[in-house]
Amino acid sequence: MAFETVIIYQGPSLIDGEEIVVMAQRGSRNRKTGAMLQTFILRVDVDPVTASREGKDFSICGSCPHRGQAHDGDKGQAKNRSCYVTLAHSPLTKYKCFKRGGYAAIEGHAALAAFGKGEMVRIGTYGDGAAVPSYIWESLCSEAKGWTAYTHQSGMESAASDPKLYMTSVESEVQAKEAWLKGERTFRVIADVSQVVKGREILCPASEEMGKRSTCETCGLCAGASLKAKSIAIVAHGTSKKAAKQLVAA
Ligand code: SF4
């Protein structure tokens, strides 16, 4: 499959004003999501591993608890980071290529709409889409097949966390219930299937527990309150499983 990556935004983060860049990639080998258009949100001035270690990923992840704890060592990512995204893979590769000038930028509604046309868009493959002005996503998704999006920034005034676009990411049943009262749909990482709230949540069909019967590309349930559907729960998985389980069980 041919991959094609372009820059769709470079400018201030809506979270803290630092300069960020968004790269969109058509074509993907991701087994959970399927062949979705992937989007990577990164700091411009520092590689994603260092940004994690120094806490500078706040610009693109905001208050997400999966960032872990920054430290002043000289190698590696933040301590106890429980995010499922492996920074040394696609985010770092994308950052290096961006710094070498390897990607062209596209601008304006028509160009973004054409790039997203017919695709399933994954808003924030790495990074939180709410750090980016919403008109970027609106244009990219305007002729797309659909999208998935998750945010940890609901309640942060400067961020663009429209609940119609985003699933509200939560780590506890209490947080989920608060979000439901506001009409939001949630995406909740749980430690065990017994924690699913019956009638309000379903297990992600791409999860191991559900037999990986779907991919995000074909499912598309994580499209915020634009869909009238139940909220989603998923048992902690991936390389950071242990840390994520500790976080949601706390
Ligand atoms: S519920 Fe559907 S869209 Fe959401 S993570 Fe699972 S497979 Fe992807």
Side-chain angles (χ1 to χ4, degrees):
M1 173 181 291
F3 289 0
E4 184 186 5
T5 300
V6 294
I7 297 167
I8 58 170
Y9 175 74
Q10 186 168 345
S13 157
L14 298 186
I15 295 175
D16 67 358
E18 295 293 336
E19 190 179 16
I20 60 172
V21 61
V22 183
M23 286 161 275
Q25 173 193 295
R26 280 199 291 224
S28 167
R29 288 196 198 94
N30 188 304
R31 269 176 291 170
K32 175 169 181 270
T33 64
M36 293 179 80
L37 186 154
Q38 309 283 339
T39 61
F40 299 86
I41 307 165
L42 303 173
R43 291 261 309 216
V44 161
D45 59 338
V46 57
D47 75 78
V49 177
T50 306
S52 163
R53 182 173 72 246
E54 296 183 351
K56 291 177 177 167
D57 57 351
F58 181 73
S59 311
I60 54 125
C61 301
S63 53
C64 176
H66 298 285
R67 291 169 56 220
Q69 291 91 45
H71 59 92
D72 49 18
D74 56 5
K75 286 203 288 231
Q77 61 180 17
K79 286 187 184 142
N80 301 317
R81 184 174 178 276
S82 55
C83 175
Y84 60 86
V85 177
T86 306
L87 294 175
H89 292 171
S90 297
L92 187 58
T93 309
K94 284 269 174 286
Y95 179 80
K96 286 181 176 168
C97 190
F98 162 69
K99 290 307 251 189
R100 289 196 302 268
Y103 301 128
I106 61 170
E107 278 180 27
H109 173 76
L112 266 66
F115 195 78
K117 188 172 182 173
E119 301 277 337
M120 267 300 280
V121 177
R122 189 176 179 201
I123 298 177
T125 303
Y126 175 56
D128 193 313
V132 180
S134 54
Y135 65 82
I136 296 292
W137 306 123
E138 283 159 15
S139 291
L140 186 68
C141 296
S142 59
E143 295 183 41
K145 209 157 55 174
W147 74 88
T148 62
Y150 312 85
T151 185
H152 268 101
Q153 317 313 319
S154 80
M156 180 184 278
E157 245 174 61
S158 64
S161 59
D162 180 357
K164 285 211 190 72
L165 195 64
Y166 293 95
M167 304 298 283
T168 301
S169 293
V170 293
E171 279 70 43
S172 72
E173 193 176 317
V174 172
Q175 290 171 343
K177 285 179 173 164
E178 281 171 8
W180 298 338
L181 282 175
K182 292 186 273 178
E184 299 171 9
R185 289 179 64 232
T186 55
F187 184 89
R188 183 161 74 101
V189 179
I190 54 178
D192 186 85
V193 289
S194 63
Q195 293 174 334
V196 172
V197 177
K198 290 203 177 73
R200 293 306 304 253
E201 291 176 319
I202 56 164
L203 276 175
C204 163
S207 64
E208 277 170 32
E209 294 73 18
M210 293 297 282
K212 299 185 180 175
R213 65 175 74 152
S214 184
T215 63
C216 297
E217 185 194 5
T218 51
C219 166
L221 275 175
C222 289
S226 70
L227 291 181
K228 294 262 173 282
K230 292 197 170 60
S231 287
I232 305 295
I234 190 164
V235 178
H237 62 291
T239 50
S240 307
K241 189 172 175 172
K242 198 168 153 219
K245 280 197 170 182
Q246 279 168 349
L247 184 71
V248 296

